[in-house]
Amino acid sequence: QVQLVESGGGLAQPGGSLRLSCAASRRTFSNYAMGWFRQAPGKEREFVAAISRSGGNTYYADSVKGRFTISRNNAKNTVPLQMNSLEPEDTAVYYCAASTGWVISQNGHEYNYWGQGTQVTVSS
């Protein structure tokens, strides 16, 4: 069982930045591939970014590529998501997820554990 807690959400202006973080409870954190997903009002959940167990491989949705950066600190059991050049379309609840799979995936069904989410609002 892994408990995930997101933090760092809030209000940002277009073009601004926010840094989300996901803290995991499990000591064997490095056994999980990690991902970030988001869900905007009235829309389905969508993939944002994922990172492999070691942190050596990352994968991004086209909509955030070049603007968002996912990383991980296996010593601290955290997965930050740095979000730059924010756009109003980035407004959503952002969720952290953990997968026991060996290959990082953009498919939410491949993830076993989910956090409660943190709200990100981009507006002037």
Side-chain angles (χ1 to χ4, degrees), residues 108-119:
H109 296 292
E110 300 289 336
Y111 291 80
N112 309 93
Y113 305 101
W114 294 82
Q116 294 299 308
T118 184
Q119 176 70 47

Side-chain angles (χ1 to χ4, degrees), residues 47-52 57-62 65 70 104-106:
F47 169 76
V48 175
I51 190 165
S52 62
N57 292 307
T58 57
Y59 184 58
Y60 296 92
D62 288 342
K65 198 174 296 182
I70 188 172
I104 56 176
S105 172
Q106 63 177 333

Side-chain angles (χ1 to χ4, degrees), residues 68-90:
F68 291 10
T69 302
I70 188 172
S71 59
R72 68 187 296 160
N73 185 326
N74 285 344
K76 296 183 177 180
N77 290 7
T78 58
V79 183
L81 180 69
Q82 179 66 42
M83 305 188 298
N84 298 329
S85 302
L86 285 165
E87 303 169 353
E89 293 74 22
D90 295 318

